[in-house]
Amino acid sequence: PSYNQSEYIEDTLRSVQNQTYENIEHLVIDGGSDDGTLDILRKYENEYNLQWVSESDEGQCDAINKGFTQANGDIVAWLNSDDVYFDTEVFELVVNYFNTFDEDIIYGDEVLINKTSTVTSVDARPKFDASKLSYRILLAQAASFFRREVVKQEKLRVDLHYCLDHEYWLRLSQKFSFRHVSDILAGFRVYDEQKSQTYDQIYKEFDSVIQEYDSSTPGLFYSLFDNSRIELSRWGQAVIDTYRLHQNPPKFAFDGSLAPLPRMLTNI
């Protein structure tokens, strides 16, 4: 899904183009950008197998659903036009995991990147537990991949703008299986102008979504204890991953770099 992200979309396109796995179908569903995005899409269309369309739509979810409908691959994912895949072997890893495990959805960890594509911290995600979805986010959207039948059966809700992915996880958890893998698969870009920084609107929509599902959340004490336990585990894994990245820097799929080790550790 794309709309007026010319500042970042080239990094996004490169992160797909630079994958070592070759059997890739890449679709860009643009909502009628007028900021130079289309010139970038035309450039990449000529360089490699990129299919794109630019037309008015009903927003991000509508664009993603169009892509789901058009996708032919056995494994499908969506990557927002300001995010990236992490290194050049992400798709190799994902294909191997789907060949190894029976789960319908596989998700990994992510890094946070800034406006200049510098990796600022590691975001290690917890194992999947559907019972926790009512009070915490488990998945990193950009690092999530689906078997084709998942996205053919279930589409995103076009009436949602902030919690579209979380509602999707809640709905999918009722009929499909998830597996977390401890690999960094994606980079999530953080900057002041992005939609996910509008916290008040996010919380309001999140509350309305949760009420539509089983809202039998645990008590406050248990929630705090459970979240603290999970966060401590995530923090420990992020520290380990951060040291590993600096000892053996990856071959980035995008035009990225690592922030200094002390800064990355502090950001955790």
Side-chain angles (χ1 to χ4, degrees), residues 153-170:
Q153 292 183 40
E154 297 290 341
K155 301 295 192 294
L156 291 164
R157 280 175 45 181
V158 296
D159 62 314
L160 298 178
H161 302 286
Y162 302 101
C163 298
L164 54 101
D165 49 354
H166 198 83
E167 189 279 335
Y168 199 48
W169 314 142
L170 282 160

Side-chain angles (χ1 to χ4, degrees), residues 65-120:
N65 289 340
K66 288 180 182 179
F68 282 170
T69 300
Q70 296 178 30
N72 295 303
D74 296 322
I75 301 169
V76 181
W78 93 80
L79 186 66
N80 294 328
S81 53
D82 51 0
D83 297 332
V84 295
Y85 289 121
F86 182 60
D87 62 37
T88 59
E89 297 184 350
V90 166
F91 290 4
E92 298 277 1
L93 281 172
V94 169
V95 169
N96 287 337
Y97 280 130
F98 274 107
N99 287 336
T100 302
F101 302 116
D102 292 330
E103 275 77 11
D104 302 303
I105 299 105
I106 286 176
Y107 69 99
D109 301 330
E110 66 181 5
V111 294
L112 304 186
I113 62 176
N114 63 17
K115 294 187 71 169
T116 61
S117 298
T118 300
V119 176
T120 58

Side-chain angles (χ1 to χ4, degrees), residues 31 38 47 50 60 65 136-137 151 158 164 169 171 176 180 183 191 210 214 217 221-223 230 256:
L38 304 190
E47 290 185 6
L50 172 68
Q60 182 183 9
N65 289 340
R136 68 169 297 128
I137 296 172
V151 302
V158 296
L164 54 101
W169 314 142
R171 184 156 29 101
F176 296 108
H180 171 254
D183 296 287
Y191 53 100
I210 291 300
D214 180 11
T217 57
F221 177 79
Y222 177 82
S223 296
I230 293 173

Side-chain angles (χ1 to χ4, degrees), residues 129-138 166 170 203 206-207 210 214-231:
D129 183 344
S131 67
K132 292 179 170 58
L133 284 173
S134 62
Y135 62 94
R136 68 169 297 128
I137 296 172
L138 300 177
H166 198 83
L170 282 160
Y203 294 147
F206 182 83
D207 285 342
I210 291 300
D214 180 11
S215 58
S216 56
T217 57
L220 177 61
F221 177 79
Y222 177 82
S223 296
L224 291 173
F225 172 79
D226 188 53
N227 275 334
S228 298
R229 176 183 61 82
I230 293 173
E231 291 307 307

Side-chain angles (χ1 to χ4, degrees), residues 189-245:
R189 196 180 300 272
V190 179
Y191 53 100
D192 291 339
E193 301 88 350
Q194 71 186 145
K195 183 173 67 172
S196 56
Q197 296 298 311
T198 51
Y199 295 113
D200 290 344
Q201 294 164 306
I202 292 173
Y203 294 147
K204 182 178 179 180
E205 188 171 277
F206 182 83
D207 285 342
S208 66
V209 165
I210 291 300
Q211 292 174 12
E212 298 175 19
Y213 291 86
D214 180 11
S215 58
S216 56
T217 57
L220 177 61
F221 177 79
Y222 177 82
S223 296
L224 291 173
F225 172 79
D226 188 53
N227 275 334
S228 298
R229 176 183 61 82
I230 293 173
E231 291 307 307
L232 183 61
S233 175
R234 290 180 60 205
W235 179 84
Q237 186 60 53
V239 169
I240 293 171
D241 290 343
T242 300
Y243 274 108
R244 287 175 177 170
L245 287 179

